[in-house]
Amino acid sequence: MTSRTPWQLAQRAHRMNPSIIREILKVTEQPGIISLAGGLPSPDGFPVDAMREATARVLRDTPREALQYASSEGLPALREWVAAMLRGHGQQVDAAQVLITTGSQQGLDLVGKVLVDPGSRVAVESPTYLGALQAFAPYEPVFTAVDCDDDGPLPDALHTAEGARFLYLLPNFQNPSGRCMSEARRAAVVARAQALNLPLVEDNPYGDLWFDAPPPPPLAARWADGTVYLGSFSKVLAPGLRLGYVVAPAPLVPKLLQAKQAADLHTPGFNQRVVHEVIRDGFLDTHVPTIRARYKAQRDAMRAALEAHMPAGCRWTVPTGGMFFWVELPANVDAIALLPKAVANGVAFVPGAAFFAEQARANTMRLSFVTVSPQQIERGIRALAAALKEAA
Ligand code: PMP
């Protein structure tokens, strides 16, 4: 009997790593821990009644169509809805450019599959969304991290990305930093990217979750031919639906479609019909403001708690939308080492190092405020501050 495994992993499999966030979440899902680590939207915002009614209508009116295989592009009516909604945000979009995807996470994978060769360069912000690094990594790119400030990528740093297959950007309430690019920065970044002939992949799952004023128009509105735009229903309806979309310049659409066909034939047609049934008559216009109001109150609670309890030497910017605070700790504090102390005190966070493609900054952390009550936020930040003071 031999114990040698008959399986040989592909090169790309060696580029796949467990998400450090999921590993942390396992530890922190113990009872009694206040978790500021999650990236999940608040389940209080899921439109359960609207979903129940829409599901019943779909099963009553189009049961066999809804349960049959469907087109890889997505439900035509939903593609039309997405195109019209984005035109309302200033984008020039035809429904033929819209592909419905299985979450925007699938959009990231398809972009990697179609655009990245082994050894080619992919440019990202610093920090950036860990799930995008995970989606692109198996296609074996070399990552380049573009220097950023509190307003996003520095236009003068974009030349470091020259020659990359694309620059991946989150202009609205970025995961993890919470930052939102100003209109001036968007204009400057797009102008520089155009000059460098550097295409953009714009990921926008959080743009509707603004607290005071809507964010400026998307990058795709400034450079439609040079931007692939990703959107999602996860944060405005529910992530369990796994519904997102990719809007691509026309020449890319067939390849993205072929990549999608190979991946999953199509995104569940049943879910697409139910969601279209929910949103077709303007439901989101009244629903999303309720999410904004809830998240804004939680943001305010976290801001107040940080101001009241965090020791000197910590820095954060107050997010104007989305789900996250990003905290910079004193330079000598390693957030990974701090985490067990914080968990012992009853609070969890995500160390920021996971979100860097290059030159991880160990003294950073991401705090989510949306799945915890204002009272838990106050207690959690007090416990975090105590752990920090103990570590000092
Ligand atoms: N992009 C970003 C920046 C995200 O934060 C997430 C979800 N955490 C996704 C994409 C994927 O979202 P979904 O697949 O649910 O649309």
Short mmCIF file of all heavy atoms in Angstrom, two decimals, residues 103-105 129 168 170 175 203 205-206 232 234-235 242, ligand 1:
data_model
loop_
_atom_site.label_atom_id
_atom_site.label_comp_id
_atom_site.label_asym_id
_atom_site.label_seq_id
_atom_site.Cartn_x
_atom_site.Cartn_y
_atom_site.Cartn_z
N GLY A 103 -23.06 37.13 -8.26
CA GLY A 103 -22.36 38.09 -7.40
C GLY A 103 -21.34 38.84 -8.22
O GLY A 103 -20.91 38.40 -9.29
N SER A 104 -20.94 40.02 -7.71
CA SER A 104 -19.88 40.73 -8.43
C SER A 104 -18.56 40.00 -8.25
O SER A 104 -17.62 40.19 -9.03
CB SER A 104 -19.78 42.19 -7.99
OG SER A 104 -19.59 42.29 -6.61
N GLN A 105 -18.50 39.12 -7.24
CA GLN A 105 -17.29 38.31 -7.07
C GLN A 105 -17.03 37.49 -8.34
O GLN A 105 -15.88 37.34 -8.75
CB GLN A 105 -17.45 37.39 -5.86
CG GLN A 105 -16.19 36.66 -5.45
CD GLN A 105 -15.10 37.58 -4.90
OE1 GLN A 105 -15.39 38.63 -4.32
NE2 GLN A 105 -13.86 37.20 -5.09
N TYR A 129 -9.42 45.42 -1.88
CA TYR A 129 -10.35 44.36 -1.48
C TYR A 129 -9.67 43.00 -1.58
O TYR A 129 -9.24 42.60 -2.67
CB TYR A 129 -11.60 44.43 -2.36
CG TYR A 129 -12.56 43.27 -2.25
CD1 TYR A 129 -13.02 42.82 -1.02
CD2 TYR A 129 -13.03 42.63 -3.39
CE1 TYR A 129 -13.90 41.77 -0.92
CE2 TYR A 129 -13.92 41.59 -3.31
CZ TYR A 129 -14.36 41.15 -2.08
OH TYR A 129 -15.24 40.10 -1.99
N TYR A 168 -7.38 48.03 -10.85
CA TYR A 168 -8.62 47.70 -10.13
C TYR A 168 -8.86 48.75 -9.05
O TYR A 168 -8.01 48.99 -8.21
CB TYR A 168 -8.48 46.30 -9.51
CG TYR A 168 -9.58 45.95 -8.54
CD1 TYR A 168 -10.88 45.72 -8.98
CD2 TYR A 168 -9.32 45.84 -7.18
CE1 TYR A 168 -11.89 45.39 -8.09
CE2 TYR A 168 -10.32 45.50 -6.27
CZ TYR A 168 -11.60 45.29 -6.74
OH TYR A 168 -12.61 44.96 -5.85
N LEU A 170 -11.81 50.89 -6.33
CA LEU A 170 -13.10 50.98 -5.63
C LEU A 170 -13.32 52.44 -5.24
O LEU A 170 -12.95 52.84 -4.13
CB LEU A 170 -13.06 50.15 -4.36
CG LEU A 170 -12.95 48.64 -4.56
CD1 LEU A 170 -11.72 48.09 -3.92
CD2 LEU A 170 -14.18 48.00 -3.98
N ASN A 175 -13.80 49.08 0.41
CA ASN A 175 -13.49 47.97 1.30
C ASN A 175 -12.01 47.68 1.10
O ASN A 175 -11.62 47.29 0.01
CB ASN A 175 -14.33 46.75 0.92
CG ASN A 175 -14.05 45.54 1.80
OD1 ASN A 175 -13.27 45.62 2.73
ND2 ASN A 175 -14.70 44.42 1.48
N ASP A 203 -15.07 48.69 -9.29
CA ASP A 203 -15.93 47.82 -8.49
C ASP A 203 -16.77 48.71 -7.57
O ASP A 203 -16.21 49.50 -6.80
CB ASP A 203 -15.02 46.88 -7.67
CG ASP A 203 -15.77 45.76 -6.98
OD1 ASP A 203 -16.98 45.58 -7.24
OD2 ASP A 203 -15.14 45.05 -6.17
N PRO A 205 -19.74 47.99 -5.16
CA PRO A 205 -20.85 47.39 -4.41
C PRO A 205 -21.46 48.30 -3.36
O PRO A 205 -22.56 48.02 -2.87
CB PRO A 205 -20.20 46.16 -3.75
CG PRO A 205 -18.75 46.48 -3.66
CD PRO A 205 -18.43 47.43 -4.77
N TYR A 206 -20.76 49.39 -2.99
CA TYR A 206 -21.21 50.20 -1.84
C TYR A 206 -21.76 51.58 -2.21
O TYR A 206 -22.18 52.32 -1.33
CB TYR A 206 -20.04 50.39 -0.85
CG TYR A 206 -19.48 49.09 -0.34
CD1 TYR A 206 -18.28 48.57 -0.81
CD2 TYR A 206 -20.19 48.35 0.60
CE1 TYR A 206 -17.79 47.36 -0.35
CE2 TYR A 206 -19.71 47.13 1.06
CZ TYR A 206 -18.51 46.64 0.58
OH TYR A 206 -18.03 45.44 1.03
N SER A 232 -23.53 45.20 -7.82
CA SER A 232 -24.02 44.08 -7.01
C SER A 232 -25.37 44.42 -6.37
O SER A 232 -25.61 45.56 -6.00
CB SER A 232 -23.01 43.78 -5.92
OG SER A 232 -23.48 42.77 -5.07
N SER A 234 -25.96 42.71 -3.61
CA SER A 234 -25.73 42.13 -2.28
C SER A 234 -25.96 43.13 -1.15
O SER A 234 -26.46 42.76 -0.10
CB SER A 234 -24.29 41.61 -2.17
OG SER A 234 -24.12 40.47 -2.97
N LYS A 235 -25.58 44.39 -1.36
CA LYS A 235 -25.64 45.34 -0.27
C LYS A 235 -26.95 46.13 -0.25
O LYS A 235 -27.25 46.78 0.74
CB LYS A 235 -24.43 46.30 -0.33
CG LYS A 235 -23.07 45.59 -0.46
CD LYS A 235 -22.77 44.69 0.71
CE LYS A 235 -21.39 44.06 0.73
NZ LYS A 235 -20.83 43.41 -0.40
N ARG A 242 -26.85 36.09 -4.52
CA ARG A 242 -25.70 36.00 -5.42
C ARG A 242 -26.01 36.65 -6.77
O ARG A 242 -25.93 36.01 -7.83
CB ARG A 242 -25.23 34.54 -5.61
CG ARG A 242 -24.96 33.76 -4.35
CD ARG A 242 -24.02 34.47 -3.35
NE ARG A 242 -22.74 34.84 -3.92
CZ ARG A 242 -22.27 36.09 -3.85
NH1 ARG A 242 -22.95 37.08 -3.26
NH2 ARG A 242 -21.11 36.37 -4.37
N1 PMP B 1 -16.29 43.75 -4.25
C1 PMP B 1 -16.15 44.24 -3.01
C2 PMP B 1 -15.32 45.46 -2.81
C3 PMP B 1 -16.76 43.62 -1.92
O1 PMP B 1 -16.60 44.12 -0.70
C4 PMP B 1 -17.55 42.46 -2.16
C5 PMP B 1 -18.26 41.73 -1.04
N2 PMP B 1 -17.66 41.70 0.18
C6 PMP B 1 -17.64 41.99 -3.47
C7 PMP B 1 -17.02 42.67 -4.49
C8 PMP B 1 -18.41 40.76 -3.81
O2 PMP B 1 -19.77 40.95 -3.60
P1 PMP B 1 -20.89 40.04 -4.24
O3 PMP B 1 -20.23 38.88 -4.92
O4 PMP B 1 -21.73 39.61 -3.09
O5 PMP B 1 -21.62 40.90 -5.21
#
